Amino acid sequence: VMTRQIRFVHDAIAEARRRGCHFLLHLDDDELLFPLNSGASIPQLFRHHESSQRRCIHFENFEAVFPFEQATDRPFSRPGVRFRTDKQVLYCNGKSAANLTAAGQVFTSG
């Protein structure tokens, strides 16, 4: 399985570059990406790193902690939701976006 994932990532990087993409970021279906500065947009967040030599742009992770409920359609809007900003349970490294404008190969772990 890991070999297929690594091959898929390399193919995805090549295809993203072919299409003119500047960054590649993998998010799970339960993750959100948003700028902490309310006046900023996601394109502005990435544009700041275009043409830099940093191959990976690292984002800090905040883990949502949901109060128990039987059913909900809008989990992030519940009054009891809190976000951990230290001592992460599920992630310790945050997320990184590959900077496809940087020279050289992008490192992929595996």
Side-chain angles (χ1 to χ4, degrees), residues 62-100:
F62 297 99
E63 182 179 337
V65 181
F66 300 103
F68 179 79
E69 288 188 25
Q70 291 292 328
T72 182
D73 292 332
R74 301 174 63 191
F76 288 102
S77 63
R78 287 188 249 166
V81 173
R82 300 291 179 260
F83 291 89
R84 289 188 178 134
T85 58
D86 64 348
K87 299 181 182 169
Q88 303 296 322
V89 175
L90 299 177
Y91 299 102
C92 60
N93 297 323
K95 285 286 186 169
S96 293
N99 181 358
L100 303 180

Side-chain angles (χ1 to χ4, degrees), residues 16-77:
R17 282 188 167 141
R18 187 186 71 72
R19 292 182 181 199
C21 296
H22 295 170
F23 295 91
L24 191 62
L25 172 67
H26 172 268
L27 292 176
D28 294 338
D29 59 358
D30 63 343
E31 297 171 332
L32 302 171
L33 175 66
F34 66 95
L36 290 178
N37 180 346
S38 63
S41 68
I42 291 173
Q44 289 171 329
L45 183 70
F46 284 108
R47 200 171 296 121
H48 174 74
H49 298 284
E50 275 185 35
S51 302
S52 77
Q53 292 307 304
R54 293 186 62 198
R55 293 184 187 168
C56 285
I57 310 306
H58 192 72
F59 296 98
E60 188 175 14
N61 181 66
F62 297 99
E63 182 179 337
V65 181
F66 300 103
F68 179 79
E69 288 188 25
Q70 291 292 328
T72 182
D73 292 332
R74 301 174 63 191
F76 288 102
S77 63

